[in-house]
Amino acid sequence: MKTTYYGQSALEIVAGGKKLLFDPFISPNPLAKDIDIHSLTPDYILVSHGHGDHVADLLEIAKSSGAKVICIAEIAGWLGTKGIENVHGMNIGGGFNFDFGRVKMVNAVHSSTLPDGSPGGNPAGFLIYAEGKVIYFAGDTALTYDMKLLADENLDWAFLPIGDNYTMGADDAIKASAFINCKNIIGIHYDSFPVIKIDKDEVTEKFIKAGLNLKLPAIGETIEL
């Protein structure tokens, strides 16, 4: 299993022989200018919520790739109005077995409105069960006690937002790591805008002092999970 980072919260996980693309915000992000969205060929696109910095490239990639979009029911309905029919709507607490493994939708504390003003339902995170591993993609979220419900999942890796302002910052992400009982963390949702720019050295040092393994992959970098 491996992951490739595309900036902000956009990333791909290859699991069970399938490509899972998360929260595609790539072409409007100057930090990801070297990533050609037309080169991406996902089998699935997982959407945590409706904000533009998570769905900017959703319609174009969904149409060009034919990928199945996994998302909250309200976004699934909205996609139908945009001509995207290959969707799988879910809701918080529900799980489903796909051909690559299992997905469970879990709670996130944030907001969710689509770029055209349509309601985006509740924000969400995802648990991915594949290849004998369990991966947590938190999406955009605050620190929440609901995360403690994941402590028994034996998580191998967790993707946590660390940029602060719109989501939890590094300090709360460290607390979240304890709540979910996971030491292997990949930071997301940082540096794309001035208000979420981080000092990578300072953040890395905080995670090291907490006994955590933090990865901050470069945009376009692939790492093994």
Side-chain angles (χ1 to χ4, degrees):
M1 187 183 295
K2 60 184 180 180
T3 186
T4 302
Y5 184 55
Y6 296 126
Q8 190 66 339
S9 300
L11 58 99
E12 181 180 83
I13 294 176
V14 178
K18 302 295 181 181
K19 298 177 182 177
L20 285 59
L21 179 65
F22 291 74
D23 285 0
F25 168 77
I26 301 168
S27 60
N29 184 359
L31 299 179
K33 59 182 174 55
D34 294 330
I35 304 299
D36 177 11
I37 64 169
H38 300 291
S39 69
L40 303 179
T41 57
D43 299 290
Y44 294 87
I45 303 173
L46 289 83
V47 179
S48 67
H49 66 292
H51 288 162
D53 61 322
H54 296 259
V55 303
D57 296 311
L58 172 59
L59 296 178
E60 186 166 353
I61 296 176
K63 290 176 180 177
S64 65
S65 67
K68 183 182 290 294
V69 182
I70 302 172
C71 56
I72 199 84
E74 287 82 357
I75 295 179
W78 176 81
L79 286 169
T81 69
K82 303 297 182 181
I84 305 297
E85 298 181 355
N86 191 13
V87 298
H88 184 99
M90 300 182 71
N91 218 314
I92 307 299
F96 191 83
N97 295 325
F98 296 91
D99 56 2
F100 61 85
R102 182 169 177 82
V103 174
K104 184 176 182 180
M105 183 173 277
V106 297
N107 194 39
V109 177
H110 195 59
S111 57
S112 181
T113 303
L114 289 151
D116 63 3
S118 299
N122 291 324
F126 296 101
L127 290 175
I128 308 297
Y129 305 84
E131 298 184 12
K133 295 183 177 181
V134 186
I135 310 297
Y136 173 42
F137 179 85
D140 279 15
T141 188
L143 179 69
T144 169
Y145 263 83
D146 282 3
M147 291 174 174
K148 292 196 171 190
L149 297 172
L150 307 183
D152 296 330
E153 292 285 352
N154 297 315
L155 298 174
D156 293 282
W157 287 89
F159 293 85
L160 301 181
I162 59 172
D164 216 350
N165 196 74
Y166 297 117
T167 68
M168 60 184 175
D171 292 338
D172 278 355
I174 288 170
K175 293 177 182 178
S177 303
F179 282 8
I180 64 177
N181 189 29
C182 183
K183 291 188 176 296
N184 295 317
I185 308 299
I186 297 176
I188 57 174
H189 207 276
Y190 65 93
D191 277 5
S192 303
F193 311 110
V195 294
I196 59 171
K197 188 168 180 59
I198 67 169
D199 182 325
K200 292 182 181 179
D201 291 338
E202 178 183 349
V203 168
T204 298
E205 184 63 25
K206 286 183 176 182
F207 274 78
I208 290 173
K209 287 183 177 179
L212 300 170
N213 173 34
L214 175 68
K215 299 292 187 184
L216 298 175
I219 294 176
E221 182 180 355
T222 299
I223 63 174
E224 294 291 328
L225 296 177

mmCIF file with all atom_site columns, all heavy atoms in Angstrom, residues 13 30 33 40 43 46 54 60 85 90 138 140 150 153 172 206 214-215:
data_model
loop_
_atom_site.group_PDB
_atom_site.id
_atom_site.type_symbol
_atom_site.label_atom_id
_atom_site.label_alt_id
_atom_site.label_comp_id
_atom_site.label_asym_id
_atom_site.label_entity_id
_atom_site.label_seq_id
_atom_site.pdbx_PDB_ins_code
_atom_site.Cartn_x
_atom_site.Cartn_y
_atom_site.Cartn_z
_atom_site.occupancy
_atom_site.B_iso_or_equiv
_atom_site.pdbx_formal_charge
_atom_site.auth_seq_id
_atom_site.auth_comp_id
_atom_site.auth_asym_id
_atom_site.auth_atom_id
_atom_site.pdbx_PDB_model_num
ATOM 1   N N   . ILE A 1 13  ? -4.315  6.960  -2.472  1.00 0.00 ? 13  ILE A N   1
ATOM 2   C CA  . ILE A 1 13  ? -3.879  5.726  -1.834  1.00 0.00 ? 13  ILE A CA  1
ATOM 3   C C   . ILE A 1 13  ? -4.111  4.592  -2.819  1.00 0.00 ? 13  ILE A C   1
ATOM 4   O O   . ILE A 1 13  ? -5.204  4.468  -3.382  1.00 0.00 ? 13  ILE A O   1
ATOM 5   C CB  . ILE A 1 13  ? -4.636  5.456  -0.524  1.00 0.00 ? 13  ILE A CB  1
ATOM 6   C CG1 . ILE A 1 13  ? -4.304  6.515  0.526   1.00 0.00 ? 13  ILE A CG1 1
ATOM 7   C CG2 . ILE A 1 13  ? -4.297  4.066  0.016   1.00 0.00 ? 13  ILE A CG2 1
ATOM 8   C CD1 . ILE A 1 13  ? -5.087  6.369  1.827   1.00 0.00 ? 13  ILE A CD1 1
ATOM 9   N N   . PRO A 1 30  ? -1.530  26.733 -6.284  1.00 0.00 ? 30  PRO A N   1
ATOM 10  C CA  . PRO A 1 30  ? -0.249  27.027 -6.922  1.00 0.00 ? 30  PRO A CA  1
ATOM 11  C C   . PRO A 1 30  ? 0.883   26.117 -6.458  1.00 0.00 ? 30  PRO A C   1
ATOM 12  O O   . PRO A 1 30  ? 1.846   25.906 -7.194  1.00 0.00 ? 30  PRO A O   1
ATOM 13  C CB  . PRO A 1 30  ? 0.021   28.490 -6.540  1.00 0.00 ? 30  PRO A CB  1
ATOM 14  C CG  . PRO A 1 30  ? -1.035  28.904 -5.600  1.00 0.00 ? 30  PRO A CG  1
ATOM 15  C CD  . PRO A 1 30  ? -2.089  27.874 -5.554  1.00 0.00 ? 30  PRO A CD  1
ATOM 16  N N   . LYS A 1 33  ? 1.266   23.107 -8.862  1.00 0.00 ? 33  LYS A N   1
ATOM 17  C CA  . LYS A 1 33  ? 1.250   23.484 -10.275 1.00 0.00 ? 33  LYS A CA  1
ATOM 18  C C   . LYS A 1 33  ? 1.874   22.433 -11.191 1.00 0.00 ? 33  LYS A C   1
ATOM 19  O O   . LYS A 1 33  ? 1.586   22.412 -12.402 1.00 0.00 ? 33  LYS A O   1
ATOM 20  C CB  . LYS A 1 33  ? 1.957   24.821 -10.473 1.00 0.00 ? 33  LYS A CB  1
ATOM 21  C CG  . LYS A 1 33  ? 3.404   24.845 -10.009 1.00 0.00 ? 33  LYS A CG  1
ATOM 22  C CD  . LYS A 1 33  ? 4.020   26.230 -10.206 1.00 0.00 ? 33  LYS A CD  1
ATOM 23  C CE  . LYS A 1 33  ? 5.419   26.320 -9.623  1.00 0.00 ? 33  LYS A CE  1
ATOM 24  N NZ  . LYS A 1 33  ? 6.346   25.300 -10.125 1.00 0.00 ? 33  LYS A NZ  1
ATOM 25  N N   . LEU A 1 40  ? -4.238  11.818 -13.766 1.00 0.00 ? 40  LEU A N   1
ATOM 26  C CA  . LEU A 1 40  ? -4.760  11.015 -12.659 1.00 0.00 ? 40  LEU A CA  1
ATOM 27  C C   . LEU A 1 40  ? -5.872  10.104 -13.166 1.00 0.00 ? 40  LEU A C   1
ATOM 28  O O   . LEU A 1 40  ? -6.780  10.540 -13.860 1.00 0.00 ? 40  LEU A O   1
ATOM 29  C CB  . LEU A 1 40  ? -5.285  11.922 -11.548 1.00 0.00 ? 40  LEU A CB  1
ATOM 30  C CG  . LEU A 1 40  ? -4.277  12.923 -10.971 1.00 0.00 ? 40  LEU A CG  1
ATOM 31  C CD1 . LEU A 1 40  ? -4.942  13.780 -9.896  1.00 0.00 ? 40  LEU A CD1 1
ATOM 32  C CD2 . LEU A 1 40  ? -3.057  12.212 -10.421 1.00 0.00 ? 40  LEU A CD2 1
ATOM 33  N N   . ASP A 1 43  ? -9.740  5.010  -9.494  1.00 0.00 ? 43  ASP A N   1
ATOM 34  C CA  . ASP A 1 43  ? -10.893 4.115  -9.571  1.00 0.00 ? 43  ASP A CA  1
ATOM 35  C C   . ASP A 1 43  ? -12.011 4.611  -8.662  1.00 0.00 ? 43  ASP A C   1
ATOM 36  O O   . ASP A 1 43  ? -13.191 4.364  -8.934  1.00 0.00 ? 43  ASP A O   1
ATOM 37  C CB  . ASP A 1 43  ? -10.476 2.699  -9.157  1.00 0.00 ? 43  ASP A CB  1
ATOM 38  C CG  . ASP A 1 43  ? -9.396  2.133  -10.062 1.00 0.00 ? 43  ASP A CG  1
ATOM 39  O OD1 . ASP A 1 43  ? -9.697  1.830  -11.227 1.00 0.00 ? 43  ASP A OD1 1
ATOM 40  O OD2 . ASP A 1 43  ? -8.242  2.006  -9.595  1.00 0.00 ? 43  ASP A OD2 1
ATOM 41  N N   . LEU A 1 46  ? -12.873 9.792  -2.991  1.00 0.00 ? 46  LEU A N   1
ATOM 42  C CA  . LEU A 1 46  ? -13.513 9.931  -1.687  1.00 0.00 ? 46  LEU A CA  1
ATOM 43  C C   . LEU A 1 46  ? -13.523 11.400 -1.301  1.00 0.00 ? 46  LEU A C   1
ATOM 44  O O   . LEU A 1 46  ? -12.474 12.059 -1.322  1.00 0.00 ? 46  LEU A O   1
ATOM 45  C CB  . LEU A 1 46  ? -12.801 9.102  -0.628  1.00 0.00 ? 46  LEU A CB  1
ATOM 46  C CG  . LEU A 1 46  ? -12.976 7.573  -0.766  1.00 0.00 ? 46  LEU A CG  1
ATOM 47  C CD1 . LEU A 1 46  ? -11.989 6.978  -1.762  1.00 0.00 ? 46  LEU A CD1 1
ATOM 48  C CD2 . LEU A 1 46  ? -12.830 6.882  0.582   1.00 0.00 ? 46  LEU A CD2 1
ATOM 49  N N   . HIS A 1 54  ? -11.576 21.218 -1.434  1.00 0.00 ? 54  HIS A N   1
ATOM 50  C CA  . HIS A 1 54  ? -11.630 19.748 -1.374  1.00 0.00 ? 54  HIS A CA  1
ATOM 51  C C   . HIS A 1 54  ? -12.334 19.149 -2.590  1.00 0.00 ? 54  HIS A C   1
ATOM 52  O O   . HIS A 1 54  ? -12.206 17.954 -2.840  1.00 0.00 ? 54  HIS A O   1
ATOM 53  C CB  . HIS A 1 54  ? -12.323 19.291 -0.085  1.00 0.00 ? 54  HIS A CB  1
ATOM 54  C CG  . HIS A 1 54  ? -11.551 19.677 1.136   1.00 0.00 ? 54  HIS A CG  1
ATOM 55  N ND1 . HIS A 1 54  ? -10.740 18.801 1.837   1.00 0.00 ? 54  HIS A ND1 1
ATOM 56  C CD2 . HIS A 1 54  ? -11.425 20.866 1.764   1.00 0.00 ? 54  HIS A CD2 1
ATOM 57  C CE1 . HIS A 1 54  ? -10.169 19.444 2.835   1.00 0.00 ? 54  HIS A CE1 1
ATOM 58  N NE2 . HIS A 1 54  ? -10.561 20.703 2.807   1.00 0.00 ? 54  HIS A NE2 1
ATOM 59  N N   . GLU A 1 60  ? -14.414 17.443 -12.834 1.00 0.00 ? 60  GLU A N   1
ATOM 60  C CA  . GLU A 1 60  ? -13.597 17.170 -14.018 1.00 0.00 ? 60  GLU A CA  1
ATOM 61  C C   . GLU A 1 60  ? -12.940 15.794 -13.937 1.00 0.00 ? 60  GLU A C   1
ATOM 62  O O   . GLU A 1 60  ? -12.947 15.032 -14.919 1.00 0.00 ? 60  GLU A O   1
ATOM 63  C CB  . GLU A 1 60  ? -12.539 18.255 -14.196 1.00 0.00 ? 60  GLU A CB  1
ATOM 64  C CG  . GLU A 1 60  ? -11.765 18.108 -15.494 1.00 0.00 ? 60  GLU A CG  1
ATOM 65  C CD  . GLU A 1 60  ? -10.945 19.344 -15.848 1.00 0.00 ? 60  GLU A CD  1
ATOM 66  O OE1 . GLU A 1 60  ? -11.087 20.368 -15.151 1.00 0.00 ? 60  GLU A OE1 1
ATOM 67  O OE2 . GLU A 1 60  ? -10.187 19.277 -16.833 1.00 0.00 ? 60  GLU A OE2 1
ATOM 68  N N   . GLU A 1 85  ? -23.133 10.224 -12.255 1.00 0.00 ? 85  GLU A N   1
ATOM 69  C CA  . GLU A 1 85  ? -24.042 9.178  -11.780 1.00 0.00 ? 85  GLU A CA  1
ATOM 70  C C   . GLU A 1 85  ? -23.337 8.028  -11.077 1.00 0.00 ? 85  GLU A C   1
ATOM 71  O O   . GLU A 1 85  ? -23.976 7.257  -10.352 1.00 0.00 ? 85  GLU A O   1
ATOM 72  C CB  . GLU A 1 85  ? -24.861 8.637  -12.957 1.00 0.00 ? 85  GLU A CB  1
ATOM 73  C CG  . GLU A 1 85  ? -25.749 9.694  -13.609 1.00 0.00 ? 85  GLU A CG  1
ATOM 74  C CD  . GLU A 1 85  ? -26.564 9.141  -14.760 1.00 0.00 ? 85  GLU A CD  1
ATOM 75  O OE1 . GLU A 1 85  ? -26.365 7.955  -15.108 1.00 0.00 ? 85  GLU A OE1 1
ATOM 76  O OE2 . GLU A 1 85  ? -27.396 9.887  -15.302 1.00 0.00 ? 85  GLU A OE2 1
ATOM 77  N N   . MET A 1 90  ? -23.077 7.714  1.330   1.00 0.00 ? 90  MET A N   1
ATOM 78  C CA  . MET A 1 90  ? -22.982 7.086  2.640   1.00 0.00 ? 90  MET A CA  1
ATOM 79  C C   . MET A 1 90  ? -23.422 8.093  3.693   1.00 0.00 ? 90  MET A C   1
ATOM 80  O O   . MET A 1 90  ? -23.795 9.223  3.378   1.00 0.00 ? 90  MET A O   1
ATOM 81  C CB  . MET A 1 90  ? -21.546 6.616  2.929   1.00 0.00 ? 90  MET A CB  1
ATOM 82  C CG  . MET A 1 90  ? -20.998 5.606  1.939   1.00 0.00 ? 90  MET A CG  1
ATOM 83  S SD  . MET A 1 90  ? -19.325 5.027  2.350   1.00 0.00 ? 90  MET A SD  1
ATOM 84  C CE  . MET A 1 90  ? -19.681 4.022  3.812   1.00 0.00 ? 90  MET A CE  1
ATOM 85  N N   . ALA A 1 138 ? -8.865  11.848 8.261   1.00 0.00 ? 138 ALA A N   1
ATOM 86  C CA  . ALA A 1 138 ? -9.722  12.625 9.159   1.00 0.00 ? 138 ALA A CA  1
ATOM 87  C C   . ALA A 1 138 ? -10.552 13.674 8.440   1.00 0.00 ? 138 ALA A C   1
ATOM 88  O O   . ALA A 1 138 ? -11.557 14.139 8.984   1.00 0.00 ? 138 ALA A O   1
ATOM 89  C CB  . ALA A 1 138 ? -8.873  13.293 10.239  1.00 0.00 ? 138 ALA A CB  1
ATOM 90  N N   . ASP A 1 140 ? -11.386 17.467 7.165   1.00 0.00 ? 140 ASP A N   1
ATOM 91  C CA  . ASP A 1 140 ? -11.258 18.709 7.925   1.00 0.00 ? 140 ASP A CA  1
ATOM 92  C C   . ASP A 1 140 ? -12.007 18.542 9.237   1.00 0.00 ? 140 ASP A C   1
ATOM 93  O O   . ASP A 1 140 ? -13.220 18.297 9.238   1.00 0.00 ? 140 ASP A O   1
ATOM 94  C CB  . ASP A 1 140 ? -11.873 19.885 7.154   1.00 0.00 ? 140 ASP A CB  1
ATOM 95  C CG  . ASP A 1 140 ? -10.932 20.439 6.108   1.00 0.00 ? 140 ASP A CG  1
ATOM 96  O OD1 . ASP A 1 140 ? -9.941  19.760 5.791   1.00 0.00 ? 140 ASP A OD1 1
ATOM 97  O OD2 . ASP A 1 140 ? -11.209 21.536 5.593   1.00 0.00 ? 140 ASP A OD2 1
ATOM 98  N N   . LEU A 1 150 ? -11.930 5.475  17.918  1.00 0.00 ? 150 LEU A N   1
ATOM 99  C CA  . LEU A 1 150 ? -11.043 4.815  16.952  1.00 0.00 ? 150 LEU A CA  1
ATOM 100 C C   . LEU A 1 150 ? -9.838  4.154  17.614  1.00 0.00 ? 150 LEU A C   1
ATOM 101 O O   . LEU A 1 150 ? -9.037  3.513  16.942  1.00 0.00 ? 150 LEU A O   1
ATOM 102 C CB  . LEU A 1 150 ? -10.556 5.833  15.914  1.00 0.00 ? 150 LEU A CB  1
ATOM 103 C CG  . LEU A 1 150 ? -11.624 6.653  15.193  1.00 0.00 ? 150 LEU A CG  1
ATOM 104 C CD1 . LEU A 1 150 ? -10.975 7.556  14.152  1.00 0.00 ? 150 LEU A CD1 1
ATOM 105 C CD2 . LEU A 1 150 ? -12.663 5.757  14.553  1.00 0.00 ? 150 LEU A CD2 1
ATOM 106 N N   . GLU A 1 153 ? -9.187  0.518  16.854  1.00 0.00 ? 153 GLU A N   1
ATOM 107 C CA  . GLU A 1 153 ? -9.133  0.125  15.442  1.00 0.00 ? 153 GLU A CA  1
ATOM 108 C C   . GLU A 1 153 ? -7.751  -0.375 15.011  1.00 0.00 ? 153 GLU A C   1
ATOM 109 O O   . GLU A 1 153 ? -7.591  -0.884 13.906  1.00 0.00 ? 153 GLU A O   1
ATOM 110 C CB  . GLU A 1 153 ? -9.538  1.297  14.544  1.00 0.00 ? 153 GLU A CB  1
ATOM 111 C CG  . GLU A 1 153 ? -10.997 1.693  14.645  1.00 0.00 ? 153 GLU A CG  1
ATOM 112 C CD  . GLU A 1 153 ? -11.917 0.720  13.926  1.00 0.00 ? 153 GLU A CD  1
ATOM 113 O OE1 . GLU A 1 153 ? -11.416 -0.181 13.222  1.00 0.00 ? 153 GLU A OE1 1
ATOM 114 O OE2 . GLU A 1 153 ? -13.142 0.874  14.071  1.00 0.00 ? 153 GLU A OE2 1
ATOM 115 N N   . ASP A 1 172 ? -3.263  20.204 18.644  1.00 0.00 ? 172 ASP A N   1
ATOM 116 C CA  . ASP A 1 172 ? -4.454  19.359 18.772  1.00 0.00 ? 172 ASP A CA  1
ATOM 117 C C   . ASP A 1 172 ? -4.305  18.068 17.976  1.00 0.00 ? 172 ASP A C   1
ATOM 118 O O   . ASP A 1 172 ? -4.873  17.031 18.349  1.00 0.00 ? 172 ASP A O   1
ATOM 119 C CB  . ASP A 1 172 ? -5.700  20.116 18.315  1.00 0.00 ? 172 ASP A CB  1
ATOM 120 C CG  . ASP A 1 172 ? -6.256  21.028 19.401  1.00 0.00 ? 172 ASP A CG  1
ATOM 121 O OD1 . ASP A 1 172 ? -5.737  21.002 20.527  1.00 0.00 ? 172 ASP A OD1 1
ATOM 122 O OD2 . ASP A 1 172 ? -7.220  21.774 19.109  1.00 0.00 ? 172 ASP A OD2 1
ATOM 123 N N   . LYS A 1 206 ? 7.757   19.079 17.480  1.00 0.00 ? 206 LYS A N   1
ATOM 124 C CA  . LYS A 1 206 ? 6.691   18.817 18.446  1.00 0.00 ? 206 LYS A CA  1
ATOM 125 C C   . LYS A 1 206 ? 6.241   17.356 18.380  1.00 0.00 ? 206 LYS A C   1
ATOM 126 O O   . LYS A 1 206 ? 6.014   16.714 19.409  1.00 0.00 ? 206 LYS A O   1
ATOM 127 C CB  . LYS A 1 206 ? 5.495   19.735 18.184  1.00 0.00 ? 206 LYS A CB  1
ATOM 128 C CG  . LYS A 1 206 ? 5.698   21.178 18.605  1.00 0.00 ? 206 LYS A CG  1
ATOM 129 C CD  . LYS A 1 206 ? 4.432   21.996 18.366  1.00 0.00 ? 206 LYS A CD  1
ATOM 130 C CE  . LYS A 1 206 ? 4.583   23.416 18.866  1.00 0.00 ? 206 LYS A CE  1
ATOM 131 N NZ  . LYS A 1 206 ? 3.340   24.206 18.682  1.00 0.00 ? 206 LYS A NZ  1
ATOM 132 N N   . LEU A 1 214 ? 5.887   11.635 12.312  1.00 0.00 ? 214 LEU A N   1
ATOM 133 C CA  . LEU A 1 214 ? 5.170   12.536 11.413  1.00 0.00 ? 214 LEU A CA  1
ATOM 134 C C   . LEU A 1 214 ? 5.832   12.554 10.048  1.00 0.00 ? 214 LEU A C   1
ATOM 135 O O   . LEU A 1 214 ? 7.044   12.744 9.936   1.00 0.00 ? 214 LEU A O   1
ATOM 136 C CB  . LEU A 1 214 ? 5.148   13.954 11.981  1.00 0.00 ? 214 LEU A CB  1
ATOM 137 C CG  . LEU A 1 214 ? 4.526   15.018 11.065  1.00 0.00 ? 214 LEU A CG  1
ATOM 138 C CD1 . LEU A 1 214 ? 3.033   14.799 10.906  1.00 0.00 ? 214 LEU A CD1 1
ATOM 139 C CD2 . LEU A 1 214 ? 4.818   16.422 11.595  1.00 0.00 ? 214 LEU A CD2 1
ATOM 140 N N   . LYS A 1 215 ? 5.026   12.401 9.014   1.00 0.00 ? 215 LYS A N   1
ATOM 141 C CA  . LYS A 1 215 ? 5.508   12.538 7.644   1.00 0.00 ? 215 LYS A CA  1
ATOM 142 C C   . LYS A 1 215 ? 4.843   13.764 7.016   1.00 0.00 ? 215 LYS A C   1
ATOM 143 O O   . LYS A 1 215 ? 3.630   13.952 7.126   1.00 0.00 ? 215 LYS A O   1
ATOM 144 C CB  . LYS A 1 215 ? 5.164   11.300 6.812   1.00 0.00 ? 215 LYS A CB  1
ATOM 145 C CG  . LYS A 1 215 ? 5.779   10.003 7.322   1.00 0.00 ? 215 LYS A CG  1
ATOM 146 C CD  . LYS A 1 215 ? 7.280   9.990  7.160   1.00 0.00 ? 215 LYS A CD  1
ATOM 147 C CE  . LYS A 1 215 ? 7.859   8.636  7.521   1.00 0.00 ? 215 LYS A CE  1
ATOM 148 N NZ  . LYS A 1 215 ? 9.347   8.620  7.459   1.00 0.00 ? 215 LYS A NZ  1
#
